[in-house]
Amino acid sequence: MQKKLFLVITFIVANIICKSQIPTMTTNSAMSISPTSVASGGVIINAGGSVVTDVGIVWDVSPNPTILINKHSASPAESSFTSILTGLTPGMTYHLRAYATNAAGTGYGSDVTITTQSAASSSTVAQVKELEEQKKVIDGFIANQKTSIFKFGISVAVRSALNTGKEKQARAIATITPSQNFVSIDYTDLMAVVVSTTVAAYPFRIKRSVEGKLPDSISKSVKFWTNFGFLGNVNLVEFANSNTSTVFNKQVDGGLGFSYLLGVREQFAVAITYERISVRQPTKFVFDNEGKQIIGDNNTTLTTLDIKDPRYFRDAGMNGISIKFIFHFN
């Protein structure tokens, strides 16, 4: 009886095997290619009439690799699978195929060729990605600044001092004449060219189109006022006569005023500012001796006045008006 049962089971198994076919499948395109690894997989189209017991990827440097060379198994429970191959050689060309095994044998997908990255190209890719991320941050900052009411810039200004009341003394230059050694005080207006940093606020700005145009619904009078703003500046460098009292500027000078945007790009502006300027002015002792000789410490007549000497010059300030031409960075 047992012998007959064994023969029946053997016949059934043999019949199943004879009717089974090897699986048919496709190989997926390779992904995430690095110097030493790659991801690939496959899709089982037809299991061949029997249970699939093993699936995965085979690879080799030669075309059409088989499971007898290199293979990486995946879960056979899914008809679609992915395998990650590791330990590959950088810069090497490989052939990949998906495979599936059942009772009838092993079926393979199409041969896919890939080339792993070289170590140098991987580093380059990482650097490019880092630069791209930095560019996104910078572009975002620039985009934010373009919509901001605040603009930062640098200006070149022509400045004139105001000659009012006691400020006339603050603009004076004291020297000693070379012939009689008399004290001479010059009240000539102090003009200068000044380079400054600027911060401007344009609270009435309206968003423009890509071409720099304002909406047509805005009237001309409103468009005119949207370019007005308020400006603050700190002076950096002054170009003036080397004999002027502003040479010894020991304070942070600057001012406040109004600005007006120019052009559709809003990169340039003009402004007028009221400023306070630190200077070195003659002391009361020098003013009192105007037209006279000054006797020095050794009882001799002075031939020059040292602008650094606190007996003859002191720190003071004066008011001024500047006309500025501004370049905005944003």
Side-chain angles (χ1 to χ4, degrees), residues 45-67:
I45 298 175
N46 189 334
S50 63
V51 177
V52 173
T53 57
D54 187 19
V55 296
I57 295 293
V58 293
W59 76 96
D60 193 25
V61 295
S62 300
N64 300 319
T66 68
I67 58 175

Side-chain angles (χ1 to χ4, degrees), residues 71-90:
K71 76 170 185 175
H72 186 281
S73 297
S75 172
E78 302 292 337
S79 60
S80 177
F81 60 90
T82 299
S83 293
I84 299 178
L85 309 181
T86 59
L88 304 180
T89 302

Side-chain angles (χ1 to χ4, degrees), residues 82-122:
T82 299
S83 293
I84 299 178
L85 309 181
T86 59
L88 304 180
T89 302
M92 182 70 72
T93 298
Y94 290 92
H95 295 265
L96 313 178
R97 288 203 296 176
Y99 76 89
T101 301
N102 65 5
T106 301
Y108 298 93
S110 59
D111 188 293
V112 174
T113 302
I114 63 101
T115 300
T116 55
Q117 295 179 355
S118 64
S121 65
S122 176

Side-chain angles (χ1 to χ4, degrees), residues 257-278:
F258 301 95
S259 60
Y260 186 80
L261 290 168
L262 301 175
V264 296
R265 292 183 177 273
E266 301 180 342
Q267 291 292 127
F268 297 94
V270 293
I272 181 169
T273 58
Y274 173 81
E275 300 187 358
R276 186 70 177 173
I277 307 151
S278 62

Side-chain angles (χ1 to χ4, degrees), residues 3-19:
K3 184 175 181 181
K4 287 182 179 180
L5 181 59
F6 175 76
L7 291 175
V8 170
I9 293 173
T10 303
F11 174 79
I12 293 173
V13 171
N15 187 50
I16 291 173
I17 293 176
C18 291
K19 290 184 179 180

Side-chain angles (χ1 to χ4, degrees), residues 41-325:
V43 177
I44 299 173
I45 298 175
N46 189 334
S50 63
V51 177
V52 173
T53 57
D54 187 19
V55 296
I57 295 293
V58 293
W59 76 96
D60 193 25
V61 295
S62 300
N64 300 319
T66 68
I67 58 175
L68 300 178
I69 302 175
N70 298 302
K71 76 170 185 175
H72 186 281
S73 297
S75 172
E78 302 292 337
S79 60
S80 177
F81 60 90
T82 299
S83 293
I84 299 178
L85 309 181
T86 59
L88 304 180
T89 302
M92 182 70 72
T93 298
Y94 290 92
H95 295 265
L96 313 178
R97 288 203 296 176
Y99 76 89
T101 301
N102 65 5
T106 301
Y108 298 93
S110 59
D111 188 293
V112 174
T113 302
I114 63 101
T115 300
T116 55
Q117 295 179 355
S118 64
S121 65
S122 176
S123 174
T124 302
V125 169
Q127 292 176 0
V128 170
K129 288 184 178 179
E130 182 178 356
L131 290 174
E132 288 177 347
E133 291 300 321
Q134 293 176 357
K135 183 177 182 298
K136 289 180 181 178
V137 173
I138 295 173
D139 289 345
F141 174 78
I142 292 175
N144 180 65
Q145 291 302 309
K146 286 184 177 180
T147 58
S148 172
I149 66 172
F150 295 99
K151 283 182 171 287
F152 305 91
I154 191 166
S155 69
V156 177
V158 178
R159 185 185 67 209
S160 176
L162 296 176
N163 186 17
T164 58
K166 295 181 179 180
E167 290 296 334
K168 182 175 180 180
Q169 292 184 353
R171 303 181 316 112
I173 305 169
T175 58
I176 293 181
T177 60
S179 54
Q180 297 91 358
N181 293 332
F182 290 158
V183 175
S184 175
I185 299 180
D186 184 3
Y187 296 96
T188 304
D189 288 345
L190 295 180
M191 298 285 294
V193 175
V194 183
V195 177
S196 309
T197 58
T198 62
V199 178
Y202 298 92
F204 312 114
R205 285 181 71 199
I206 297 177
K207 188 175 181 181
R208 285 162 162 75
S209 65
V210 176
E211 296 78 14
K213 297 179 180 180
L214 286 168
D216 294 334
S217 58
I218 305 288
S219 66
K220 290 183 179 180
S221 60
V222 173
K223 290 179 182 179
F224 176 80
W225 287 105
T226 58
N227 284 354
F228 271 104
F230 305 97
L231 179 81
N233 69 277
V234 175
N235 298 337
L236 299 176
V237 181
E238 179 182 273
F239 300 94
N241 188 306
S242 60
N243 294 322
T244 65
S245 58
T246 56
V247 170
F248 290 88
N249 183 348
K250 296 184 177 181
Q251 301 179 21
V252 177
D253 295 338
L256 300 172
F258 301 95
S259 60
Y260 186 80
L261 290 168
L262 301 175
V264 296
R265 292 183 177 273
E266 301 180 342
Q267 291 292 127
F268 297 94
V270 293
I272 181 169
T273 58
Y274 173 81
E275 300 187 358
R276 186 70 177 173
I277 307 151
S278 62
V279 296
R280 289 282 281 182
Q281 76 164 46
T283 61
K284 185 178 183 300
F285 171 78
V286 175
F287 280 111
D288 291 343
N289 284 276
E290 182 178 6
K292 303 175 184 179
Q293 292 182 342
I294 296 179
I295 305 301
D297 297 333
N298 54 1
N299 293 321
T300 59
T301 302
L302 291 183
T303 58
T304 60
L305 289 176
D306 184 1
I307 200 171
K308 298 180 181 179
D309 194 324
R311 293 175 297 177
Y312 309 125
F313 294 92
R314 67 184 183 90
D315 289 329
M318 65 179 179
N319 299 322
I321 294 291
S322 291
I323 303 298
K324 298 184 182 296
F325 301 90

